[in-house]
Amino acid sequence: MDDSQLYQKLPDVLLPWYRENRRDLPWRHDREPYHVWVSEIMLQQTRVEAVKGYYSRFLAALPDIAALANCDDDTLHKLWEGLGYYSRVRNLKKAAQAVLEYHGGQFPRQHAQVLALSGIGAYTAGAICSICYNQPTPAVDGNVLRVIARVMDDDTPIDLPARKKAVQDALTEIYPAEAGDFTQALMELGATICGPNWKPCCEICPCRDFCRGHINGTAEQLPVKSPKKTRKEEDKTVLILHCDGRFALEKRPEKGLLAGLWQFPNVDGMKTPEQALETAAQMGLQPREILRQLERKHIFTHIQWNMRGFYIEVEKPGDPFHWFTPEQINAQAALPTAFRQFWEERAYV
């Protein structure tokens, strides 16, 4: 049996399996493009269980494309707080504004128009067009690439663009009329039975009778990825400055990592306690004492921050910082996880 014949077997076994075994997820309750779009963006780099609550809260606050397009940035970031990768939600808003301006507020149906929206790549465009409009547009992510690597017993690194393109092309040729269900069936198989970081459950897999990886005993060794590049490390000293129940925050630059989000004042390098007090003084404040020192780290995709936090009481609030009460921070200021971990530890001061 050649590769094309193996691909052709997938719809026949996956469609009935999916309809019988699919998880009850909130974004599967309808095929409204706005809902599917929001869910797919949230699910990038984020676990399903973590997304469920965010998805419901986001749609309750921003029920349609117009509401998203007109939402102020602080509110938008607060709704996204904790999900990380904040460029995703900024692109959501930018794309929503484009839908209002160029498509009359109606989410486009043509694959090329969907792909042209900010923050939407081949995977998300394929998912939206197949799930919402039943178009034969594959949505190929890590889950799908893992399934295909095992079914085909193919050790080509799945992170190579050429490999992803080959899988997209092969799947396009065999898409059934029930395009949306087939897209979700592939996703579901890769997220559950043929999932990452655990032994595949081949004994209950609908593809077990023809999966080469299962038959040849290689499924657990697949997929293969290219060697990882060394992650860059940066040292940061974070100052959690407070005075009379208020804490100092500042906005990050509008471009770059964590653009436009709130943060605690921080400087490059690992400062000693004496240097931390001196840094606070150089910022125009009058530090009284260090109440606590805390070591933490945060890992981004390509960078690791090694962070040393100092909880410092100061004489009086001062510029250029914004001074918030805890209630205001909790309700209004979106702190990215890198800094929020220091906020959550403040009770121990």
Side-chain angles (χ1 to χ4, degrees):
M1 188 183 303
D2 62 23
D3 287 0
S4 63
Q5 291 172 312
L6 275 184
Y7 273 104
Q8 289 167 12
K9 284 183 170 291
L10 291 172
D12 289 341
V13 298
L14 289 184
L15 286 172
W17 170 82
Y18 172 71
R19 290 162 186 158
E20 182 70 23
N21 296 280
R22 64 186 178 185
R23 291 168 293 174
D24 181 19
L25 302 175
W27 44 88
R28 288 178 176 167
H29 294 172
D30 60 59
R31 300 201 178 195
E32 162 60 41
Y34 177 58
H35 298 169
V36 173
W37 172 37
V38 168
S39 72
E40 288 298 336
I41 298 300
M42 285 187 170
L43 287 164
Q44 294 171 8
Q45 309 290 334
T46 310
R47 295 178 298 104
V48 166
E49 289 304 315
V51 166
K52 288 180 180 179
Y54 281 97
Y55 175 80
S56 299
R57 289 191 295 271
F58 193 92
L59 291 187
L62 306 174
D64 53 37
I65 291 174
L68 170 58
N70 293 302
C71 182
D72 68 89
D73 288 346
D74 280 343
T75 299
L76 193 66
H77 290 155
K78 194 64 182 177
L79 287 169
W80 204 264
E81 184 181 32
L83 273 175
Y85 301 95
Y86 284 82
S87 61
R88 293 182 296 172
V89 75
R90 289 192 288 273
N91 281 326
L92 265 175
K93 178 179 176 178
K94 186 176 179 181
Q97 291 171 334
V99 170
L100 287 185
E101 182 174 358
Y102 300 112
H103 302 286
Q106 298 298 310
F107 200 88
R109 298 179 64 92
Q110 295 183 22
H111 183 265
Q113 292 178 331
V114 175
L115 191 59
L117 295 173
S118 295
I120 294 184
Y123 167 79
T124 304
I128 293 170
C129 290
S130 60
I131 294 171
C132 302
Y133 307 134
N134 256 341
Q135 297 175 9
T137 53
V140 179
D141 66 352
N143 283 329
V144 174
L145 288 167
R146 183 187 321 106
V147 168
I148 298 302
R150 288 171 173 169
V151 168
M152 301 297 170
D153 194 9
D154 192 324
D155 61 2
T156 305
I158 62 171
D159 50 357
L160 296 179
R163 178 58 184 162
K164 185 175 182 178
K165 177 66 162 56
V167 171
Q168 284 177 323
D169 291 345
L171 286 173
T172 301
E173 294 297 318
I174 55 93
Y175 248 73
E178 305 93 328
D181 279 355
F182 184 58
T183 288
Q184 294 184 91
L186 280 167
M187 295 176 182
E188 190 78 348
L189 186 68
T192 57
I193 286 176
C194 200
N197 306 320
W198 67 78
K199 181 179 179 181
C201 304
C202 296
E203 65 278 3
I204 59 172
C205 178
C207 303
R208 63 186 177 276
D209 291 340
F210 58 84
C211 174
R212 290 176 184 162
H214 173 54
I215 295 168
N216 298 335
T218 58
E220 289 187 54
Q221 286 75 54
L222 295 169
V224 172
K225 295 183 179 180
S226 303
K228 288 186 177 180
K229 296 180 180 179
T230 302
R231 184 181 284 117
K232 179 183 177 183
E233 294 192 22
E234 296 179 352
D235 293 337
K236 300 282 184 183
T237 295
V238 181
L239 304 181
I240 304 90
L241 306 167
H242 64 97
C243 177
D244 296 331
R246 290 187 290 168
F247 292 80
L249 295 180
E250 62 182 0
K251 277 284 187 78
R252 289 183 63 82
E254 290 301 320
K255 294 184 178 180
L257 188 63
L258 305 178
L261 299 177
W262 291 100
Q263 66 176 3
F264 292 115
N266 61 92
V267 294
D268 292 337
M270 286 289 193
K271 303 296 186 183
T272 65
E274 294 76 15
Q275 290 171 330
L277 290 172
E278 182 181 350
T279 299
Q282 290 172 348
M283 292 175 172
L285 303 172
Q286 295 176 306
R288 288 179 177 170
E289 61 176 325
I290 293 175
L291 302 177
R292 189 183 182 200
Q293 177 179 330
L294 189 64
E295 310 287 333
R296 288 291 182 268
K297 70 177 180 179
H298 186 76
I299 298 174
F300 299 95
T301 304
H302 303 298
I303 301 174
Q304 175 175 311
W305 280 0
N306 302 314
M307 309 173 77
R308 175 175 293 164
F310 291 98
Y311 295 77
I312 301 176
E313 184 179 8
V314 300
E315 287 284 345
K316 60 181 180 180
D319 295 333
F321 306 117
H322 299 261
W323 295 81
F324 290 85
T325 64
E327 293 76 18
Q328 289 172 324
I329 291 176
N330 290 333
Q332 304 169 21
L335 284 173
T337 302
F339 297 100
R340 189 156 52 91
Q341 58 188 337
F342 292 99
W343 177 242
E344 292 170 351
E345 292 279 350
R346 74 193 184 283
Y348 300 101
V349 174

